[in-house]
Amino acid sequence: MSTRHIEDAYDAAKLIEGSLLDGWALGYVGVPWPGPWPKVNGDLFVVDPDGWQAGIAWESSGPEVREISSASATRWGVYQIRFPLPVMSERDLVRNFVAVLPMLRDLRASVAATRASFALKGE
């Protein structure tokens, strides 16, 4: 998997193989969890085609999306995201990523001007 330029908010070495889709990719925050499965929540990150990242605190229940932290120089936010499919494996994480990608694209688009303002400030 090509990792392009990825900023320092999260570790590019922890991208999930097979998650690259249209320049977007999913990665682990920290160490991938051992069993037992199914999992009901966890921490991941997403990288957009420009290399800007966001944190994802995924849940199997709760609101569809909730902002936890707003954009900064190294990431476009941290969001609680409800995954619509049960997570029984890493492959299911990728399936859920594909399912929520349209929402992630909308969230990223909504903060596009924010990144430009950080660049102007030199952050």
Side-chain angles (χ1 to χ4, degrees), residues 73-117:
T74 58
R75 60 185 180 197
W76 46 275
V78 178
Y79 300 91
Q80 178 182 332
I81 303 282
R82 184 185 59 214
F83 275 4
L85 306 168
V87 176
M88 300 293 289
S89 66
E90 184 174 86
R91 183 175 177 207
D92 290 336
L93 291 172
V94 174
R95 289 176 56 227
N96 276 287
F97 171 58
V98 171
V100 300
L101 186 54
M103 178 176 44
L104 293 171
R105 287 180 179 168
D106 289 346
L107 290 168
R108 170 59 178 89
S110 73
V111 297
T114 304
R115 184 162 200 195
S117 71

Side-chain angles (χ1 to χ4, degrees), residues 10 26-27 29 33 40-46 54-69 75 77-83 93 100 103-104:
Y10 301 102
L26 187 67
V29 173
W33 337 276
V40 294
N41 58 39
D43 295 321
L44 301 168
F45 70 96
V46 62
I56 304 294
W58 70 269
E59 303 277 343
S60 58
S61 62
E64 183 177 51
V65 63
R66 181 178 68 86
E67 184 180 272
I68 296 172
S69 178
R75 60 185 180 197
V78 178
Y79 300 91
Q80 178 182 332
I81 303 282
R82 184 185 59 214
F83 275 4
L93 291 172
V100 300
M103 178 176 44
L104 293 171

Side-chain angles (χ1 to χ4, degrees), residues 3 6 10-16 45:
T3 56
I6 296 180
Y10 301 102
D11 185 354
K14 294 183 179 175
L15 289 176
I16 297 173
F45 70 96

